[in-house]
């Protein structure tokens, strides 16, 4: 296997020139540029073998449409607030734009563009007919009443509805945007359009949602991890797993790890992490789920005699042994020092449940130390895969059983792993690069065929 390129280098003249033009256009969008560099660095052997795809590079990084808009809403005291909304329709070569809506004060144009760019390749890997996009707002739902969040969601959809549709753009939930918020947005979309089509995914089961959708990203990450372990003639049984986050992705990844016999050692939030050296039980995860997901509380509220809460730290810094790390919280949560700590703790596999949670310098540490690194665009594609299955169910006016959806999810994750592995083998590179190459090739071929 060829070694990965050094951090900060692209490794090919056509790629470097395209990247330099992208940097010149948007020099301050660090998250977006990080995502583009990570993908472009992987593509040198592809461009050398298929030089006709060099013409696609700059186009694939420039969104087809960038929409920004004002979102006015009233709080419970009657005070008017203004937030900024976004919808980045990145690429429709494979189908309607598809990607979530993130509601968080950290949301910027750069973050939405990076998420949309990643979504293009992630959706490509699922093999489902979906383009890529992303949206959201810098609105912070934490500390707001139900009526305030409802008013925000309705105002947000009042503008967003002009740009979406079942065959044009199908948003979903993301950080800060749970099925509850999706329901309020969907109700507003129906009021504005008199249309009951499947314009959003992640809906409630009573009005067009899919079974297994809340679980799908976490489940899919673990299914992908299992496929890697199978190739190593092992499995999750008895493995010590560090998980960051305590939202849907982390919680359902934890449940699935337990089902496969692994020991879940940590869960976390932005305030700190909870660690149980002997592994968490299902009842412990249930309690954390109730606090974090149901009650929208904080992890420090959870008390347990068998574990402890460590304030202000990430789980990667714990002085313990890990076999596997599943970062399921947010972007850039694993820096170089964190990666070195994970290597020291014994980690041999990192599979991303979150989007771009690992900084470039940390990825280099993993490669240097022969840690298998599975990027989010592959490992966490289960969420959008089941969103795509929800779109199919909506179009056919039916609902599949949990078993049917879960089996389809397993098959999709197996297919994604095989595509990444095969591309890595063909181009003599890493699994990370294989994911980028497999996702890119399908989109590039479609763009060339459509002269996009």
């Amino acid at each position: 296997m060829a070694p990965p390129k050094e951090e900060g280098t692209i490794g090919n003249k056509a790629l470097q020139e395209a990247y330099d033009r992208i940097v010149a256009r948007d020099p301050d969008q660090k998250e977006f540029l990080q995502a583009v560099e990570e993908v472009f660095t992987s593509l040198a052997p592809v461009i050398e073998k298929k030089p006709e795809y060099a013409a696609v590079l700059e186009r694939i990084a420039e969104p087809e449409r960038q929409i920004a808009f004002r979102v006015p809403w009233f709080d419970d005291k009657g005070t008017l607030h203004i937030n900024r909304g976004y919808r980045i329709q990145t690429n429709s070569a494979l189908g309607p734009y598809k990607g979530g809506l993130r509601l968080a004060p950290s949301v910027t144009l750069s973050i939405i563009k990076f998420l949309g760019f990643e979504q293009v390749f992630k959706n490509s890997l699922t093999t489902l007919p979906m383009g890529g996009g992303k949206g959201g707002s810098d609105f912070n739902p934490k500390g707001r009443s139900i009526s305030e969040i409802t008013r925000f969601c309705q105002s947000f959809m009042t503008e967003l509805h002009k740009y979406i549709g079942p065959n044009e753009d199908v948003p979903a939930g993301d950080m800060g945007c749970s099925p509850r918020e999706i329901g309020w947005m969907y109700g507003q979309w129906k009021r504005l359009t008199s249309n009951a089509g499947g314009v959003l995914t992640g809906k409630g089961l009573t009005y067009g949602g899919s079974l297994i959708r809340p679980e799908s990203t976490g489940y899919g990450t673990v299914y992908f991890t299992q496929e890697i372990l199978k190739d190593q003639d092992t499995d999750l049984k008895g493995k010590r797993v560090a998980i960051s986050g305590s939202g849907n992705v982390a919680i359902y990844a934890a449940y699935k790890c337990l089902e496969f016999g692994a020991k879940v050692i940590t869960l976390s939030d932005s305030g700190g992490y909870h660690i149980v050296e002997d592994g968490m039980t299902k009842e412990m995860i249930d309690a954390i789920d109730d606090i974090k997901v149901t009650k929208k509380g904080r992890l420090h509220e959870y008390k347990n005699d068998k574990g402890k809460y460590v304030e202000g730290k990430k789980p990667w810094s714990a002085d313990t042994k890990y076999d596997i790390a599943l970062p399921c919280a947010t972007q850039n949560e694993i820096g170089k020092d964190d990666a070195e700590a994970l290597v020291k703790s014994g980690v041999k596999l990192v599979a991303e449940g979150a989007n771009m949670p690992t900084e470039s310098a940390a990825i280099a540490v993993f490669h240097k130390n022969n840690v298998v690194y599975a990027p989010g665009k592959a490992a966490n594609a289960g969420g959008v895969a089941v969103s795509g299955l929800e779109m199919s169910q909506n179009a056919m006016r039916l609902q599949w059983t949990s078993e049917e959806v879960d089996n389809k999810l397993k098959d999709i994750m197996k297919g994604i792993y095989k595509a990444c592995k095969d591309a890595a083998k063909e181009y003599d590179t890493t699994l990370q690069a294989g994911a980028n190459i497999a996702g890119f090739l399908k989109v590039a071929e479609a763009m060339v065929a459509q002269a996009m």
Side-chain angles (χ1 to χ4, degrees):
M1 179 187 297
K5 300 296 181 183
E6 293 182 7
E7 181 192 353
T9 66
I10 301 297
N12 176 282
K13 182 180 179 182
L15 284 158
Q16 188 67 59
E17 289 176 350
Y19 179 71
D20 289 344
R21 288 192 293 271
I22 294 164
V23 172
R25 185 179 295 124
D26 297 307
D28 299 323
Q29 295 180 4
K30 63 178 184 177
E31 295 88 358
F32 171 63
L33 294 175
Q34 179 186 343
V36 173
E37 182 180 17
E38 190 269 331
V39 171
F40 278 23
T41 300
S42 304
L43 297 180
V46 176
I47 301 305
E48 289 165 7
K49 188 174 182 179
K50 301 175 184 287
E52 65 272 20
Y53 286 156
V56 171
L57 295 170
E58 197 170 352
R59 301 204 302 272
I60 209 167
E62 181 66 20
E64 293 176 11
R65 193 172 293 110
Q66 302 182 55
I67 302 158
F69 51 92
R70 180 178 64 194
V71 186
W73 58 278
F74 286 98
D75 65 22
D76 291 339
K77 296 180 180 178
T79 302
L80 180 65
H81 296 262
I82 299 295
N83 285 97
R84 181 171 292 171
Y86 299 98
R87 188 64 183 173
I88 304 301
Q89 296 174 330
T90 310
N91 192 292
S92 61
L94 301 181
Y97 307 108
K98 186 82 190 77
L101 299 170
R102 176 168 294 193
L103 305 181
S106 60
V107 163
T108 62
L109 178 60
S110 174
I111 285 177
I112 298 300
K113 283 181 67 179
F114 120 63
L115 291 168
F117 182 74
E118 287 280 292
Q119 198 76 49
V120 172
F121 306 107
K122 182 185 300 187
N123 294 0
S124 170
L125 286 169
T126 69
T127 72
L128 300 174
M130 301 181 292
K134 205 76 178 184
S137 172
D138 57 2
F139 171 77
N140 187 1
K142 292 180 180 177
R144 291 295 177 184
S145 69
I146 288 178
S147 58
E148 287 172 332
I149 301 172
T150 303
R151 286 192 288 270
F152 168 82
C153 289
Q154 290 173 337
S155 180
F156 181 82
M157 182 53 74
T158 296
E159 182 64 24
L160 182 66
H161 88 279
K162 303 171 185 177
Y163 313 106
I164 63 176
N167 295 309
E168 293 82 34
D169 185 349
V170 184
D174 195 274
M175 184 186 301
C177 187
S178 69
R180 181 183 69 174
E181 286 77 19
I182 288 293
W184 294 332
M185 291 183 190
Y186 187 54
Q188 183 72 352
W189 184 79
K190 290 199 293 183
R191 277 188 287 272
L192 292 166
T193 64
S194 298
N195 189 323
V199 72
L200 293 164
T201 58
K203 301 185 293 297
L205 292 176
T206 56
Y207 56 95
S210 175
L211 292 160
I212 306 295
R213 178 60 189 94
E215 301 92 333
S216 57
T217 306
Y219 280 11
T221 301
V222 178
Y223 292 152
F224 194 90
T225 301
Q226 272 285 78
E227 292 303 307
I228 296 172
L229 293 173
K230 283 180 185 177
D231 268 358
Q232 299 174 351
D233 294 323
T234 185
D235 56 29
L236 274 162
K237 189 173 182 179
K239 299 290 192 300
R240 292 173 61 85
V241 183
I243 300 179
S244 66
S246 48
N248 269 345
V249 180
I251 290 294
Y252 287 112
Y255 283 137
K256 188 57 68 173
C257 282
L258 287 190
E259 184 181 319
F260 286 143
K263 292 183 178 181
V264 175
I265 309 302
T266 63
L267 289 169
S268 72
D269 67 7
S270 58
Y273 67 91
H274 193 84
I275 181 168
V276 180
E277 282 289 351
D278 293 333
M280 296 185 182
T281 64
K282 182 180 183 300
E283 290 71 26
M284 292 177 188
I285 299 170
D286 287 343
I288 292 173
D289 181 34
D290 183 58
I291 291 169
K292 289 292 299 179
V293 179
T294 305
K295 296 177 180 175
K296 311 294 183 184
R298 306 297 297 164
L299 187 60
H300 67 77
E301 298 169 29
Y302 175 67
K303 309 296 181 185
N304 184 276
D305 293 338
K306 293 185 178 180
K308 66 177 180 178
Y309 177 76
V310 181
E311 187 174 1
K313 299 287 186 180
K314 304 174 189 176
W316 325 128
S317 65
D319 183 16
T320 190
K321 180 186 182 300
Y322 297 137
D323 299 302
I324 295 168
L326 304 180
C328 297
T330 190
Q331 72 266 6
N332 290 332
E333 61 172 292
I334 299 181
K336 183 179 180 181
D337 291 345
D338 300 312
E340 289 171 347
L342 285 171
V343 170
K344 185 179 178 181
S345 75
V347 161
K348 296 299 182 185
L349 192 164
V350 177
E352 296 182 335
N355 292 310
M356 204 172 73
T358 311
E359 294 180 359
S360 299
I363 295 171
V365 170
F366 292 145
H367 287 316
K368 181 180 178 181
N369 289 277
N370 297 314
V371 174
V372 177
Y373 167 68
K377 63 174 64 69
N380 73 35
V384 75
V386 175
S387 278
L389 298 179
E390 182 176 330
M391 290 168 65
S392 297
Q393 292 170 80
N394 290 167
M396 294 187 286
R397 297 291 194 270
L398 54 78
Q399 187 175 68
W400 294 323
T401 65
S402 293
E403 184 178 12
E404 286 177 302
V405 177
D406 197 29
N407 285 336
K408 291 177 188 296
L409 172 61
K410 289 175 185 174
D411 288 343
I412 288 171
M413 298 312 297
K414 287 179 182 177
I416 292 173
Y417 176 65
K418 184 178 186 302
C420 298
K421 184 177 70 170
D422 290 350
K425 182 178 180 180
E426 179 179 352
Y427 289 93
D428 189 27
T429 188
T430 63
L431 185 67
Q432 172 199 3
N436 289 330
I437 291 168
F440 171 80
L441 285 172
K442 184 177 179 183
V443 179
E445 182 178 346
M447 291 179 70
V448 170
Q450 298 170 64
M452 294 181 72

